[in-house]
Amino acid sequence: MKKLAKGLVLSFIIGGLFACNSKTAKQRPNPDTPVTGVDTFSNQNLPKQDTLKAKPEPTQHATMQFVDYNDDSDYYQFIAQQGDNVYYFINSDDTDRSLNRGDLIDITWKHGMITIAGDDEKPEPAEMLVSVKKTSDGPVSKFRKEYNKQLKYTWSADEQYSKDYLDKIYKLAEYYLANTKNELLKNAINKRSDITYSIEQAERENRNYTLLGIAPVGENGANVAEWLYIDTETHRLYLFDQAEDTLRMFK
């Protein structure tokens, strides 16, 4: 009887251990969960890292279009787009800064954790850039090679713009010209005529914008062919529809 009782107790212990292991295995996240679509300007639907693990996270890979570098926040960001979805990656290692908006890239990333300053240093999940390789030129790169001239620009002496901000404005002006449907500007680009733009501040419907007046330079001077509005907070680009007196987002 004593041997039988001991056998039963040992069986219960072993059975309990197998049950715990089985339950633990069911709760482990699948490391091969595929990337899903995300809302514009959000990574909320990318696979999340629930807990910080010692085991290295698997890398993920995709073909995307380059959008921009953002070096103004606590963590440098690399921004890329796939269809209508925009992704933000933490950029710790890529210091090249040679990509232009719209360039096609192969990008590799993995899950990671960052701490947000001013938020009690609470860890937050993030997508960490591992590597990026350009595979083909986008519209801006092609525009630079074909036009092969610098744009000119002017602004009021009353305004104080930093070099970084002027560089951002310049890149947006290039992006517009690389994709413009305006025949006057397309003709100027084809002829490699000088193109200039003015910079001033404007307000519409209680929002602040930087207003650009883009013009080809001809024998009779420069006449504005297109007015562009740049939202000072989001840096999104809008075309001014003079007939409707409205702004249309330029993609």
Side-chain angles (χ1 to χ4, degrees):
M1 285 296 290
K2 289 183 179 180
K3 291 184 179 180
L4 179 59
K6 288 182 180 179
L8 289 173
V9 170
L10 183 59
S11 298
F12 281 126
I13 292 172
I14 293 172
L17 289 174
F18 276 115
C20 290
N21 286 339
S22 176
K23 183 177 180 182
T24 303
K26 290 179 181 178
Q27 291 176 342
R28 289 175 183 163
N30 182 0
D32 298 323
T33 303
V35 176
T36 58
V38 300
D39 295 332
T40 301
F41 301 108
S42 172
N43 289 352
Q44 65 182 2
N45 291 331
L46 283 172
K48 300 299 183 184
Q49 178 180 355
D50 295 330
T51 57
L52 188 60
K53 306 173 186 176
K55 182 180 178 181
E57 284 290 333
T59 58
Q60 301 188 65
H61 177 85
T63 299
M64 298 187 182
Q65 285 185 331
F66 173 72
V67 175
D68 201 3
Y69 303 98
N70 179 14
D71 298 336
D72 297 332
S73 58
D74 292 337
Y75 291 90
Y76 291 164
Q77 292 180 319
F78 184 98
I79 309 171
Q81 184 171 355
Q82 190 178 58
D84 292 330
N85 302 319
V86 177
Y87 300 83
Y88 291 76
F89 301 93
I90 301 300
N91 180 18
S92 301
D93 301 319
D94 179 30
T95 59
D96 185 47
R97 301 296 189 275
S98 64
L99 293 172
N100 296 311
R101 186 169 177 176
D103 285 345
L104 200 63
I105 56 175
D106 283 337
I107 185 169
T108 302
W109 73 96
K110 64 181 179 180
H111 295 310
M113 301 293 288
I114 59 174
T115 55
I116 306 299
D119 194 20
D120 297 327
E121 296 187 351
K122 179 182 177 181
E124 294 286 346
E127 311 311 322
M128 317 297 289
L129 182 68
V130 174
S131 65
V132 59
K133 179 182 178 182
K134 177 178 173 179
T135 58
S136 63
D137 285 342
V140 174
S141 292
K142 292 177 181 178
F143 167 78
R144 287 187 176 184
K145 291 177 180 178
E146 293 169 3
Y147 184 59
N148 198 28
K149 296 181 71 173
Q150 291 289 311
L151 304 176
K152 303 178 184 298
Y153 55 90
T154 59
W155 69 91
S156 170
D158 296 334
E159 298 290 349
Q160 299 293 325
Y161 296 114
S162 68
K163 182 181 182 302
D164 286 344
Y165 191 70
L166 289 174
D167 288 344
K168 289 180 184 293
I169 297 299
Y170 190 93
K171 289 178 180 178
L172 285 171
E174 277 189 317
Y175 176 71
Y176 165 72
L177 289 169
N179 295 278
T180 187
K181 299 293 191 293
N182 186 294
E183 292 299 329
L184 289 174
L185 293 172
K186 287 171 64 176
N187 186 54
I189 294 168
N190 291 334
K191 292 183 177 180
R192 298 184 62 249
S193 302
D194 286 340
I195 298 176
T196 185
Y197 60 88
S198 59
I199 308 173
E200 57 187 284
Q201 297 306 113
E203 183 178 335
R204 286 182 64 91
E205 299 177 356
N206 298 319
R207 289 195 68 84
N208 294 320
Y209 296 89
T210 299
L211 177 61
L212 307 186
I214 299 189
V217 179
E219 295 179 357
N220 300 319
N223 295 315
V224 173
E226 196 81 75
W227 291 100
L228 306 180
Y229 282 75
I230 300 171
D231 191 302
T232 56
E233 292 183 9
T234 66
H235 294 161
R236 290 178 181 172
L237 183 63
Y238 297 85
L239 292 181
F240 177 60
D241 187 331
Q242 192 169 7
E244 300 292 332
D245 191 27
T246 58
L247 300 182
R248 293 184 289 107
M249 185 180 293
F250 185 78
K251 293 186 176 181

